[in-house]
């Protein structure tokens, strides 16, 4: 591998929000351009809680992509207090969805229908354990008396550790981890426990949200933490430990929804996600570890084949635009601010690199 070009097995994104409607049309291509497959979050309005809803969403995603694009969305089921384990198993068997997503009720965007008492879902977890279907967790407690910066660590202690104790065979991904507590818990936990790490939590700590004024584009959930946590995340991502893999949590909101009196949580990193990760791995002198993090550990955890295609990153300055005007199906521009807006990244995805047919 030359120092000017980095060839990688084509990666997947193990956590993304593709949205719906006009936003889906505008953003889905950004993910399909970089990744072969993606775990697509179900927090639509209404959420994806039935096999029929998942099938319909899959069709809307396909319609949003260019003809001939072979991007494969891997859908997820949104757990509610009332969801029927039989419906989950049916959809898993049919390939309608590949994992369940647990949002504690009111933890984040479109989570009002989420789970109010995790213990109440024991029949669901027993089913997942039996059929080998992964459970993806937004790991934050929601009690207002818990400081927002402590919500992940408290969730691990109060809910995740007991859950794994009750269901030792359950495959769990703790999504978008943000703390040294999560890194240590996952690292020392059983092989059926893994975690995704976003590019933004590798790049920014909580100061970034307040640098020179309020920065709504760097607000997401779980919120960025202190520097010591960012350092631990960088260590985990570049360690070569297969329990930590790529999940962007790209979560676009229109500029008007971010820059508002009550701005939405979410960072739109899909357009330059790989370039963002590559910058971190280079800073950590670990570029040789990027391929396994981006393209191997995720599929191995999910029990899916590795992608046969290759992509290339070239060492060329990439100027990230201050804003993007992405067209929806009707040709109306949706204004979005990408992660790294106005910055220059050192590596660029080479788009004309031939991608082997899958
Ligand atoms: C996500 C969204 O907007 O859907 N927001 C975010 O800040 N990450 C929801 C989530 O993953 O918490
Ligand atoms: Zn998310």
């Amino acid at each position: 591998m030359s120092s000017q070009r980095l060839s990688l097995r084509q990666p997947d994104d193990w956590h993304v929000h593709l949205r719906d409607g006009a936003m889906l049309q505008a953003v889905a291509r950004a993910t399909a351009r970089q990744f072969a497959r993606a775990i697509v979050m179900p927090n639509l309005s209404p959420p994806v809680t039935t096999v029929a809803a998942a099938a319909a969403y899959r069709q809307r995603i396909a319609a949003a992509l260019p003809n001939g694009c072979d991007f494969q969305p891997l859908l997820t089921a949104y757990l509610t207090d009332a969801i029927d384990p039989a419906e989950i198993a049916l959809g898993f068997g049919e390939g309608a969805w590949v994992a369940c997503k647990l949002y504690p009720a009111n933890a984040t965007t479109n989570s009002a229908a989420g789970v109010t008492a995790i213990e109440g879902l024991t029949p669901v977890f027993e089913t997942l354990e039996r059929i080998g279907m992964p459970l993806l967790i937004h790991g934050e407690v929601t009690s207002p008396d818990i400081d927002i910066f402590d919500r992940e660590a408290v969730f691990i202690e109060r809910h995740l550790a007991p859950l794994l104790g009750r269901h030792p065979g359950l495959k769990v991904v703790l999504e978008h981890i943000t703390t040294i507590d999560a890194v240590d818990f996952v690292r020392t936990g059983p092989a059926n426990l893994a975690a995704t790490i976003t590019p933004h939590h590798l790049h920014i700590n909580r100061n970034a949200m307040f640098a020179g004024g309020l920065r709504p584009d760097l607000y997401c959930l779980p919120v960025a933490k202190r520097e010591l946590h960012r350092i631990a995340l960088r260590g985990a991502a570049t360690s070569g430990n297969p329990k930590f893999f790529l999940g962007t949590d790209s979560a676009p909101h229109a500029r008007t929804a971010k820059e508002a009196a009550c701005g939405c949580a979410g960072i739109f990193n899909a357009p330059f996600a790989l370039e963002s990760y590559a910058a971190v791995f280079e800073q950590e002198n670990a570029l040789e570890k990027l391929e396994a993090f981006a393209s191997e550990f995720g599929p191995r955890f999910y029990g899916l084949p590795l992608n046969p295609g290759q992509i290339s990153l070239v060492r060329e300055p990439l100027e990230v635009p201050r804003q993007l005007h992405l067209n929806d199906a009707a040709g109306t521009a949706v204004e979005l601010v990408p992660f790294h807006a106005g910055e220059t990244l050192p590596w660029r995805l080479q788009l004309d690199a031939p991608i082997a047919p899958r």
Side-chain angles (χ1 to χ4, degrees):
M1 161 191 317
S2 93
S3 59
Q4 299 305 309
R5 171 180 291 269
L6 198 53
S7 291
L8 305 180
R9 183 185 291 284
Q10 198 181 16
D12 306 300
D13 184 351
W14 298 97
H15 181 128
V16 71
H17 300 268
L18 292 185
R19 306 303 195 207
D20 209 351
M23 189 66 96
L24 168 66
Q25 297 290 333
V27 305
R29 292 172 188 221
T31 293
R33 175 178 161 269
Q34 298 216 325
F35 298 104
R37 298 170 289 198
I39 287 277
V40 180
M41 289 296 120
N43 63 331
L44 308 181
S45 182
V48 180
T49 56
T50 62
V51 175
Y57 188 32
R58 179 185 304 282
Q59 288 193 352
R60 295 197 297 279
I61 295 169
L65 296 172
N67 283 338
C69 171
D70 56 4
F71 171 76
Q72 197 187 347
L74 304 170
L75 271 56
T76 53
Y78 180 113
L79 295 184
T80 65
D81 290 339
I83 198 158
D84 179 0
E87 178 83 1
I88 294 171
L90 176 73
F92 187 63
E94 288 179 358
W97 44 40
V98 305
C100 286
K101 179 65 190 269
L102 191 163
Y103 290 103
N106 302 315
T108 187
T109 309
N110 289 343
S111 62
V115 173
T116 59
I118 291 177
E119 305 70 36
L121 258 64
T122 296
V124 168
F125 302 140
E126 285 170 352
T127 298
L128 301 186
E129 218 174 343
R130 179 170 51 77
I131 65 179
M133 183 176 182
L135 174 67
L136 318 183
I137 301 184
H138 183 111
E140 288 193 286
V141 292
T142 54
S143 352
D145 56 317
I146 304 295
D147 189 279
I148 188 165
F149 295 102
D150 297 333
R151 288 181 186 175
E152 184 174 277
V154 173
F155 182 91
I156 290 169
E157 189 188 311
R158 283 193 193 166
H159 299 293
L160 185 55
L163 176 71
L164 292 169
R166 291 194 300 274
H167 303 279
L170 192 58
K171 267 179 135 171
V172 171
V173 184
L174 186 55
E175 299 286 8
H176 41 54
I177 60 170
T178 60
T179 57
I180 190 169
D181 312 72
V183 167
D184 288 344
F185 186 78
V186 171
R187 192 170 42 76
T188 58
N192 49 313
L193 172 65
T196 52
I197 306 182
T198 75
H200 42 281
H201 292 110
L202 295 170
H203 277 278
I204 63 167
N205 65 29
R206 63 190 194 177
N207 290 337
M209 284 182 295
F210 309 104
L214 198 54
R215 305 294 189 107
D217 301 316
L218 300 177
Y219 170 58
C220 66
L221 289 171
V223 73
K225 308 294 192 299
R226 284 180 182 275
E227 179 66 358
L228 77 94
H229 298 289
R230 186 181 77 105
I231 290 169
L233 294 170
R234 289 171 81 108
T238 59
S239 66
N241 183 335
K243 287 163 144 287
F244 300 101
F245 48 83
L246 185 158
T248 64
D249 194 20
S250 179
H253 293 277
R255 179 172 204 142
T256 46
K258 292 286 292 175
E259 299 174 12
C262 187
C264 295
I267 293 179
F268 181 45
N269 60 32
F272 310 106
L274 277 175
E275 292 93 332
S276 181
Y277 282 113
V280 169
F281 277 68
E282 177 164 56
Q283 286 159 7
E284 297 290 326
N285 284 319
L287 273 176
E288 78 286 357
K289 301 270 176 56
L290 179 61
E291 181 172 35
F293 173 81
S295 316
E296 294 172 9
F297 297 156
R300 291 226 170 96
F301 185 85
Y302 277 85
L304 294 169
L306 303 185
N307 296 315
Q310 293 276 314
I311 55 138
S312 289
L313 288 160
V314 289
R315 187 193 291 285
E316 276 173 17
L318 169 67
E319 287 180 23
V320 177
R322 289 191 182 279
Q323 66 267 314
L324 296 169
H325 296 94
L326 302 180
N327 286 331
D328 66 15
T332 309
V334 180
E335 190 175 343
L336 292 154
V337 178
F339 185 46
H340 296 298
E343 294 173 27
T344 302
L345 294 171
W347 292 88
R348 171 197 291 277
L349 179 66
Q350 196 174 60
L351 269 182
D352 55 3
I355 292 178
R358 286 195 293 276

